[in-house]
Amino acid sequence: FAVVSCESNGGKENIEDNTGDNPSEDPDDPWADWIVEYYPFPIIVSVCDAEGNDLLDSASPSAINLGGIKMLYNGEEYTLNEEHSSTRAYEAYFYGIKIEYDTTNEKYELWIGEFNGDEFFDNIDITIDWGDGRSDILTLYNKIVAPYDGEAHIDRRFYLNGEQVENNVLEIVR
């Protein structure tokens, strides 16, 4: 039994070799005895002004009113949940939108999700309503690419207001 972790465009995947546990029907299929698990992932958003001030920090003079922040996703409205429970469960837990403090970068971040890493998302929109008449739209595309070439991977893309961003951690400058 072997476990292999690999990076795949914004998420880690866990690949297990179950050789002997589930014998292949097709001896030429190199993936028949493998289970591929795609880790759940959040979208992480930090917000700052042009001077780099953290607008999610209530101590900042130009901070966003956290009580006014809402998220629209899949026909549902979610309010910012400052108090949340964490779990060590491996499965994706969709908590909506929450705020976390990043001790490494010393700033507050909005965490949106979690999203199932193996679920197909066809350019779904997630709207963040800042409660002051302004909003931003995050778009998510996630599709498993069949491992016929011998490598398991996903096509995962993120967009902010229609512009593609590098990964699921992004910064909005207001």
Side-chain angles (χ1 to χ4, degrees), residues 36 40 42-44 60 62 81 110 115 121 124 131 136 138 152 169 173:
V36 179
I43 297 174
I44 303 169
S60 173
S62 54
N81 182 8
L110 298 176
F115 299 94
F121 296 103
I124 59 151
D136 286 291
L138 310 174
V169 180
V173 179

Side-chain angles (χ1 to χ4, degrees), residues 78-140:
Y78 299 85
T79 56
L80 181 65
N81 182 8
E82 292 185 62
E83 300 295 324
H84 64 278
S85 60
S86 296
T87 178
R88 295 181 68 98
Y90 185 74
E91 299 166 357
Y93 171 72
F94 189 79
Y95 43 72
I97 183 170
K98 65 181 181 178
I99 191 162
E100 293 280 338
Y101 185 72
D102 178 352
T103 56
T104 302
N105 295 309
E106 298 182 340
K107 65 181 177 180
Y108 287 91
E109 300 170 328
L110 298 176
W111 284 53
I112 300 168
E114 288 178 324
F115 299 94
N116 285 316
D118 61 354
E119 190 171 336
F120 176 55
F121 296 103
D122 190 9
N123 293 316
I124 59 151
D125 287 335
I126 302 161
T127 302
I128 300 176
D129 178 345
W130 298 108
D132 62 0
R134 293 188 279 180
S135 63
D136 286 291
I137 299 173
L138 310 174
T139 305
L140 166 62

Side-chain angles (χ1 to χ4, degrees), residues 5 26 31 52 68-69 92 118 154 166-167:
S5 290
D26 178 3
W31 289 95
I69 297 175
D118 61 354
I154 346 177
E166 187 176 333
N167 57 35

